[in-house]
Amino acid sequence: QVQLVESGGSSVQVGESLKLSCVVSGISVSVECMAWIRQVPGKEREVVARFNTPGGRLEYADSVVGRFTAAQETEKNILTLQMNSLKLEDTAMYVCAAGRWDGGTCPYNSRGFIWKGQGTQVTVSA
């Protein structure tokens, strides 16, 4: 059974930092497609960070480039997301996501990731 459990979400002020973690079980983060997705009610889900192949190059949404850094710790099977210089518009539920790698490029949108966690809420206020 695949499980993804996020933690680290909190309420912070503009300009502050947070680090999210996702503990993964049932699959290995080093051989599957991994990503962080955020969702806001009424808006389309946004992939904020993804590996283009398992353990490969990281790609970020334009809205977070230079501020967010994703990483994976293969020994612990954990995915992390360091978020700096947080803005009001970063307020969202952040979801850890995984998808089965078929040997090609990992999915670009959230629908391609078949496993998702429950999410952790990040709220940024002025």
Side-chain angles (χ1 to χ4, degrees):
Q1 183 180 1
V2 178
Q3 285 190 314
L4 298 88
V5 180
E6 305 92 337
S7 63
S10 182
S11 295
V12 297
Q13 294 189 314
V14 171
E16 293 186 338
S17 299
L18 273 179
K19 185 175 183 178
L20 308 182
S21 295
C22 174
V23 178
V24 181
S25 59
I27 57 171
S28 172
V29 301
S30 61
V31 300
E32 306 293 4
C33 293
M34 303 299 301
W36 282 100
I37 296 168
R38 66 184 179 188
Q39 54 192 48
V40 177
K43 293 188 176 181
E44 189 172 340
R45 288 177 176 174
E46 180 183 24
V47 177
V48 295
R50 60 182 275 280
F51 289 86
N52 72 328
T53 57
R57 187 178 71 247
L58 274 162
E59 297 179 350
Y60 298 92
D62 289 344
S63 56
V64 307
V65 167
R67 300 187 299 120
F68 288 14
T69 303
Q72 59 184 35
E73 299 179 28
T74 55
E75 300 83 7
K76 298 179 180 179
N77 217 36
I78 289 173
L79 192 68
T80 63
L81 184 67
Q82 176 67 45
M83 306 185 295
N84 298 328
S85 303
L86 283 162
K87 303 177 179 181
L88 293 173
E89 52 265 40
D90 293 321
T91 294
M93 181 71 75
Y94 284 76
V95 177
C96 178
R100 186 70 71 189
W101 186 46
D102 62 3
T105 302
C106 289
Y108 289 96
N109 63 60
S110 64
R111 289 184 295 277
F113 295 90
I114 60 173
W115 298 298
K116 296 180 179 72
Q118 292 297 309
T120 186
Q121 178 68 35
V122 173
T123 303
V124 185
S125 59

